[in-house]
């Protein structure tokens, strides 16, 4: 009877361990994906904000190019807002791309409010394209309103960035 009880306890411990391993495996995948997201392709700082391109995926089927980026307030003070006016790009053949929909907040919002310091936040935008075979952008530019003057913009510029086509 003592042996039977030991056996049941060991089986229970084994089941609990299996559940724990499965849960830790899920967490491990999440953190690996997070590390990849936080690993920028290119980074630049404009107006106390660090912009990092993390992914550029071209869809041959949808004829779109989706750019994912992180932005981070590098100032000590909370930034009142971040708003981008537009994004544009030029490929190696001189083809031009443009969008006015640069999302920096949830629900496809183009304006983020009260941005705390040193917290990376994800943003994205999409270009429509007829060209679905070029390997890189020669230049990628995001126009950002300055923190002090809503009527002026600064350019966030990235050069020679690979496009991954799927």
């Amino acid at each position: 009877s003592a042996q039977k009880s030991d056996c049941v306890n060991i089986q229970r411990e084994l089941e609990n361990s299996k559940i724990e391993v499965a849960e830790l495996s899920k967490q491990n995948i999440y953190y690996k994906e997070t590390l990849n997201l936080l690993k920028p392709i290119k980074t630049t700082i404009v107006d106390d904000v660090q912009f990092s391109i993390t992914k550029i995926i071209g869809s041959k089927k949808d004829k779109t190019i989706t750019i994912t980026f992180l932005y981070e307030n590098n100032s000590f003070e909370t930034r009142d807002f971040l708003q981008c006016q537009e994004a544009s790009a030029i490929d190696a053949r001189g083809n031009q791309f443009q969008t006015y929909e640069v999302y920096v907040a949830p629900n496809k919002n183009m304006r983020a409010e009260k941005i705390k310091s040193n917290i990376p936040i994800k943003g994205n935008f999409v270009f429509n394209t007829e060209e679905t075979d070029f390997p890189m952008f020669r230049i990628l530019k995001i126009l950002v309103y300055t923190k002090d003057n809503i009527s002026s913009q600064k350019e966030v510029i990235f050069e020679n960035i690979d496009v991954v086509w799927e």
Side-chain angles (χ1 to χ4, degrees), residues 51-108:
F51 291 88
S52 301
I53 300 291
T54 58
K55 201 163 45 171
I56 301 184
I57 302 294
S59 168
K60 291 184 180 204
K61 185 174 69 90
D62 299 334
K63 293 192 171 186
T64 59
I65 302 163
T66 302
I67 293 95
T68 304
F69 64 97
L70 294 174
Y71 63 92
E72 186 173 334
N73 177 9
N74 282 355
S75 166
F76 293 113
E77 296 113 34
T78 296
R79 186 184 176 104
D80 288 338
F81 72 94
L82 178 75
Q83 184 172 341
C84 302
Q85 182 189 356
E86 67 178 275
S88 59
I90 300 174
D91 73 10
R93 292 186 189 146
N95 295 306
Q96 297 181 60
F97 307 85
Q98 186 173 26
T99 181
Y100 291 98
E101 297 177 356
V102 181
Y103 304 120
V104 294
N107 303 320
K108 292 196 168 191

Side-chain angles (χ1 to χ4, degrees), residues 60-165:
K60 291 184 180 204
K61 185 174 69 90
D62 299 334
K63 293 192 171 186
T64 59
I65 302 163
T66 302
I67 293 95
T68 304
F69 64 97
L70 294 174
Y71 63 92
E72 186 173 334
N73 177 9
N74 282 355
S75 166
F76 293 113
E77 296 113 34
T78 296
R79 186 184 176 104
D80 288 338
F81 72 94
L82 178 75
Q83 184 172 341
C84 302
Q85 182 189 356
E86 67 178 275
S88 59
I90 300 174
D91 73 10
R93 292 186 189 146
N95 295 306
Q96 297 181 60
F97 307 85
Q98 186 173 26
T99 181
Y100 291 98
E101 297 177 356
V102 181
Y103 304 120
V104 294
N107 303 320
K108 292 196 168 191
N109 207 318
M110 292 181 271
R111 182 181 170 104
E113 307 271 343
K114 305 290 179 218
I115 302 137
K116 302 275 186 235
S117 301
N118 302 315
I119 299 171
I121 302 169
K122 189 161 60 168
N124 65 56
F125 52 95
V126 177
F127 292 128
N128 293 314
T129 179
E130 290 305 310
E131 302 282 325
T132 58
D133 60 350
F134 60 90
M136 64 179 273
F137 283 130
R138 268 289 293 116
I139 193 163
L140 174 65
K141 180 169 59 176
I142 306 170
L143 274 184
V144 179
Y145 290 108
T146 61
K147 63 181 170 190
D148 304 326
N149 183 355
I150 190 70
S151 63
S152 74
Q153 299 95 31
K154 289 195 173 181
E155 294 181 339
V156 179
I157 294 178
F158 301 94
E159 294 186 40
N160 302 323
I161 305 178
D162 292 341
V163 177
V164 178
W165 290 98

